[in-house]
Amino acid sequence: MFALVGTVLAAAEYVLETVGAVRLRLVLVVGVSLSMGLLPPWANLMLAWVLVLRYLPLAVRWRGLWREERWSHRAARTAAAELTDDLVWARGRIADLERQLARAGDVATSRPGPVPDPLYHSLGLHPGSPDWLVIAARRAFRVRLHPDRHPRHRQQAHERFTLAEARFTEIYARRGIEA
């Protein structure tokens, strides 16, 4: 008799490990139903008692895990709904900013800008630059373009140096800056 109970328990644990809780319940119900007709009443009572003692804590634990999983799913659904709302808001904001950017680009291209003075532009200066900046730029160009700093390309360096000096001389003459 105890061998039969041990065999049923072993079979139930094997089913639990391989197929899971839902199928274990099915096996237990079918097994207990079949044993009711085959075993004497005291053996059925003992088998039912052993099954209850063995699998009741397991059923309680499964119930707790099921509730925990259900709560997690509910929390995940709530978080997903909030993130969906945030995503809808963000997409709307992106569309609004793209419209503003397109409008700003249209305004910028439709309005002609001032044509820079080629004399200042060639030196990287703005016509409204203060005099001290023009003087500092001339010193910097002299240091950077001086032919002694470029011995390999002395002829090209001399041409660039004299061109820059001529342009700065013209700017000085326009502004009335003494050299």
Side-chain angles (χ1 to χ4, degrees):
M1 181 65 204
F2 290 110
L4 180 63
V5 172
T7 305
V8 170
L9 287 177
E13 288 181 6
Y14 172 74
V15 170
L16 175 64
E17 290 175 6
T18 56
V19 296
V22 175
R23 291 196 180 137
L24 175 64
R25 289 180 187 153
L26 179 65
V27 167
L28 288 176
V29 168
V30 170
V32 170
S33 298
L34 287 175
S35 68
M36 290 293 185
L38 300 175
L39 299 174
W42 62 270
N44 287 331
L45 185 60
M46 187 167 68
L47 179 61
W49 185 250
V50 167
L51 290 175
V52 166
L53 289 178
R54 176 77 173 134
Y55 293 108
L56 187 63
L58 189 60
V60 170
R61 187 170 57 105
W62 283 342
R63 176 84 173 161
L65 290 175
W66 178 74
R67 283 184 180 169
E68 200 173 295
E69 184 177 331
R70 191 175 61 184
W71 181 85
S72 297
H73 281 271
R74 198 174 299 148
R77 270 189 254 117
T78 304
E82 290 173 2
L83 290 175
T84 303
D85 294 343
D86 291 346
L87 182 62
V88 167
W89 176 85
R91 284 182 177 162
R93 182 72 177 136
I94 288 171
D96 184 43
L97 290 173
E98 286 174 345
R99 282 192 298 273
Q100 288 178 9
L101 184 62
R103 266 189 265 127
D106 292 344
V107 168
T109 56
S110 65
R111 190 175 353 147
V115 178
D117 187 354
L119 180 65
Y120 285 93
H121 186 68
S122 66
L123 297 172
L125 293 171
H126 187 273
S129 301
D131 291 344
W132 62 268
L133 183 64
V134 174
I135 294 169
R138 185 176 197 175
R139 281 191 205 126
F141 268 89
R142 281 180 176 170
V143 170
R144 192 173 109 218
L145 298 178
H146 200 278
D148 290 343
R149 290 190 56 145
H150 306 282
R152 287 187 177 175
H153 311 288
R154 185 174 295 276
Q155 182 62 31
Q156 293 169 346
H158 177 71
E159 291 171 7
R160 287 191 306 251
F161 182 79
T162 53
L163 181 64
E165 278 297 311
R167 289 178 178 166
F168 274 111
T169 303
E170 186 176 341
I171 290 174
Y172 273 42
R174 282 186 189 178
R175 289 179 170 234
I177 302 173
E178 295 182 16

